[in-house]
């Protein structure tokens, strides 16, 4: 059939990166002219590619190239049967993070995007602008709850995601890490248990360790997200002070729960009256252009403590994040004050300026598209270089990949060898309080793709 021949031809062009992941395919009229076929043949070819999982139709926008279908199976669901555990040994995270600032090491470890992925020039102009126009204010403290114009912009964005939040409920923090820290300070006392996804972001485990809490790992499916049945059982069985999770394009699995599952999760938490600390730091980075809802959207009982920041979208160095702590706002504000007095004033004002002038949406689209390409490239190279039985996550946003290696691998000791060889990755065990996932590792894909990176990947694959 003619349309299948055209579909094959277009598939080859996608494979050769002539049409890159995240970009729009020429319209069907243009395709029909370019390939000398009728418009209906072009339409059928696009539909065929949609079925093959290579294109995605977006209403009124056309067809977009999506990540190729899985080349590798997804990682397996972690084992169940956990009990609450004290968290220890998170100091080794610092060793990994320090590698980011070492110019001799290719950073596939820390989830810090290379500046190539960020709107550096526009941010630079925003900083210049506020330093010029609000010089005196920039020299002083912007005491908690933070700059009103920034809080107004954050509330507007949340309202756009259907969360009922006003400016008066937004507390500016020293990025997402402090937001989560304050939220858990509000909700727990030493010795309490906090439920987490398994695997979970190691930064959450660090906060849990520093507050003398215990972590209860809940099995998390690499595609569907946290197991609601296991969570329900765990909340029946253990006195859990809070659940903390990354709701959209999680770290490390890249999971984005469906709206139905988010509502079911909220239902479960309402039933047990357990608060949720929602970390939505990757939510603005979907590969398909559709921003998923925060779980906060369905919070009718004031149980969700919403945390996020601009670290993955604009700049991790800016250190600006936010917390919506509901009824505990005044206490949270006081904790922010005694923790660090205030948040960097020029950063707050520059971010507010950036948001007020509508730069954010454009820059998000661009960053998310670049992240999609980077993840696709990394996925393809992993499929070529790593052992055949390696399982790889399929994130639909963000920029990290989670790999489950075949056989009995010890990625924690592998990390030391890899660092000596000039490449970092995050070993799986860092993502568990119970010492699981030592056969897994996480790769940061938001890195500059050049010959040095290629060499680093080959080195890593050989070590594996
Ligand atoms: C899921 C998640 N939450 C929070 C953070 C910390 O973010 P911030 O730089 O805003 O403190 C990170 C950073 O890697 C992260 O991946």
């Amino acid at each position: 059939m003619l349309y299948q021949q055209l579909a094959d031809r277009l598939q080859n062009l996608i494979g050769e990166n002539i049409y890159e992941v995240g970009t729009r395919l020429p319209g069907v009229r243009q395709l029909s002219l370019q390939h000398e076929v009728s418009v209906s043949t072009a339409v059928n070819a696009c539909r065929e590619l949609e079925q093959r999982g290579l294109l995605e139709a977006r209403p009124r926008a056309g067809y977009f190239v999506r990540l190729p279908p899985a080349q590798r199976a997804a990682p397996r669901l972690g084992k169940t049967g956990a009990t609450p555990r004290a968290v220890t040994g998170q100091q080794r995270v610092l060793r990994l993070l320090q590698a980011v600032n070492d110019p001799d090491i290719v950073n596939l470890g820390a989830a810090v995007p290379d500046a190539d992925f960020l709107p550096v020039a526009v941010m630079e102009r925003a900083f210049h602008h506020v330093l010029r126009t609000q010089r005196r204010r920039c020299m002083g403290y912007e005491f908690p709850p933070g700059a009103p114009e920034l809080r107004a912009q954050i509330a507007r964005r949340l309202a756009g995601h259907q969360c009922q939040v006003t400016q008066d409920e937004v507390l500016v923090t020293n990025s997402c890490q402090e937001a989560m820290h304050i939220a858990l300070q509000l909700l727990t006392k030493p010795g309490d248990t906090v439920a987490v996804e398994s695997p979970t972001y190691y930064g959450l485990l660090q906060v849990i360790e520093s507050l003398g809490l215990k972590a209860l790992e809940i099995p998390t499916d690499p595609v569907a997200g946290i197991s609601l049945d296991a969570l329900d059982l765990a909340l029946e069985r253990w006195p859990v002070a809070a659940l903390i999770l990354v709701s959209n394009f999680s770290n490390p699995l890249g999971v984005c729960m469906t709206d139905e599952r988010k509502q079911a999760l909220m239902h479960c938490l309402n039933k047990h009256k357990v608060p949720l600390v929602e970390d939505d730091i990757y939510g603005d980075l979907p590969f398909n252009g559709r921003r998923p809802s925060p779980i906060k959207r369905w919070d009718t009982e004031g149980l969700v403590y919403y945390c996020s920041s601009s670290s993955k979208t604009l700049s991790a160095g800016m250190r600006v994040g936010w917390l919506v702590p509901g009824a505990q706002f005044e206490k949270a504000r006081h904790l922010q004050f005694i923790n660090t007095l205030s948040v960097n004033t020029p950063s707050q004002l520059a971010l507010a300026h950036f948001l007020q002038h509508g730069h954010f949406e454009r820059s998000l689209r661009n960053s998310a598209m670049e992240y999609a390409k980077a993840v696709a490239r990394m996925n393809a190279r992993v499929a070529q270089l790593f052992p055949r039985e390696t399982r790889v996550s399929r994130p639909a946003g963000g920029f990290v990949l989670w790999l489950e290696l075949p056989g009995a691998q010890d990625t924690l000791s592998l990390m030391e060898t890899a660092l000596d060889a000039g490449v970092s990755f995050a070993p799986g065990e860092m993502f568990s309080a119970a010492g699981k996932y030592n056969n897994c590792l996480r790769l940061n894909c938001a890195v500059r793709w050049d010959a040095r990176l290629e060499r680093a990947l080959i080195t890593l694959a050989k070590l594996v």
Side-chain angles (χ1 to χ4, degrees), residues 35-36 40 79 106 113 118 123 144 155 172 222 269 278 335 373 392 406 436 455:
H35 296 273
E36 297 175 343
S40 67
K79 289 195 187 67
V106 176
L118 303 170
M123 278 315 292
V172 180
L269 294 174
E278 176 178 18
L335 283 173
K373 287 188 212 162
V392 185
K436 297 182 195 167
R455 280 196 300 276

Side-chain angles (χ1 to χ4, degrees), residues 338-376:
I338 54 178
N339 279 356
T340 53
L341 280 187
S342 82
V343 176
N344 181 305
T345 305
S347 289
Q348 290 194 57
L349 300 184
L351 178 56
H353 179 76
F354 190 86
L355 293 170
Q356 278 162 347
H357 289 79
H359 299 303
F360 197 46
E361 293 309 327
R362 208 171 323 129
S363 116
L364 279 183
R365 270 197 301 279
N366 195 46
S367 297
M369 197 169 86
E370 292 304 320
Y371 289 146
K373 287 188 212 162
V375 169

Side-chain angles (χ1 to χ4, degrees), residues 39-114:
V39 171
S40 67
T41 302
V43 169
N44 286 337
C46 289
R47 289 199 182 128
E48 168 74 17
L49 287 175
E50 203 182 351
Q51 287 204 336
R52 292 184 199 173
L54 291 168
L55 289 185
E56 180 188 346
R58 294 195 199 153
R60 290 186 299 281
Y63 283 98
F64 285 74
V65 182
R66 18 179 321 175
L67 282 182
Q71 306 191 34
R72 292 293 164 92
R76 281 169 292 213
L77 181 67
K79 289 195 187 67
T80 52
T83 52
R85 284 170 190 266
V87 180
T88 55
Q90 285 292 314
Q91 316 83 293
R92 60 180 175 242
V93 172
L94 191 58
R95 161 112 171 89
L96 179 77
L97 296 186
Q98 274 165 340
V100 176
N101 298 116
D102 184 338
D104 294 330
I105 292 182
V106 176
N107 171 39
L108 303 179
V112 181
D114 186 277

Side-chain angles (χ1 to χ4, degrees), residues 201-344:
Y201 166 55
Y202 48 71
L204 306 181
L205 294 176
Q206 285 164 349
V207 178
I208 290 174
E209 179 175 6
S210 75
L211 295 175
L213 305 169
K214 287 187 211 139
L216 176 61
E217 294 188 32
I218 309 293
T220 302
D221 182 82
V223 178
I226 193 162
S227 160
L228 297 178
D229 289 341
L231 179 68
D232 196 37
L233 276 177
L235 298 187
E236 297 256 313
R237 177 148 184 225
W238 309 102
V240 171
L243 165 69
I244 182 161
L245 57 70
V246 185
S247 47
N248 294 313
F249 316 123
S250 67
N251 177 2
L253 288 176
V255 167
C256 184
M257 291 168 79
T258 59
D259 283 358
E260 290 71 31
R261 296 194 83 252
K262 285 175 181 163
Q263 288 171 74
L265 172 69
M266 218 42 256
H267 181 74
C268 172
L269 294 174
N270 286 341
K271 181 175 105 183
H272 295 280
K273 298 191 173 38
V274 170
L276 169 69
V277 180
E278 176 178 18
D279 175 353
D280 191 22
I281 197 167
Y282 292 99
D284 282 322
L285 297 168
F287 296 160
N288 67 2
R290 281 192 293 273
R291 209 280 183 205
S293 289
I295 299 175
K296 179 79 188 158
R297 173 179 167 187
W298 293 283
D299 179 23
T300 50
E301 310 296 316
L303 281 178
V304 179
Y305 290 60
Y306 180 87
C307 309
S308 191
S309 84
S310 54
S311 283
K312 311 298 173 187
T313 50
L314 296 178
S315 150
M318 225 161 70
R319 309 308 298 144
V320 179
W322 45 95
L323 168 66
V324 181
Q328 302 220 56
F329 184 83
E330 279 310 321
K331 225 164 144 189
R333 176 187 185 172
H334 183 63
L335 283 173
Q336 206 289 308
F337 176 67
I338 54 178
N339 279 356
T340 53
L341 280 187
S342 82
V343 176
N344 181 305

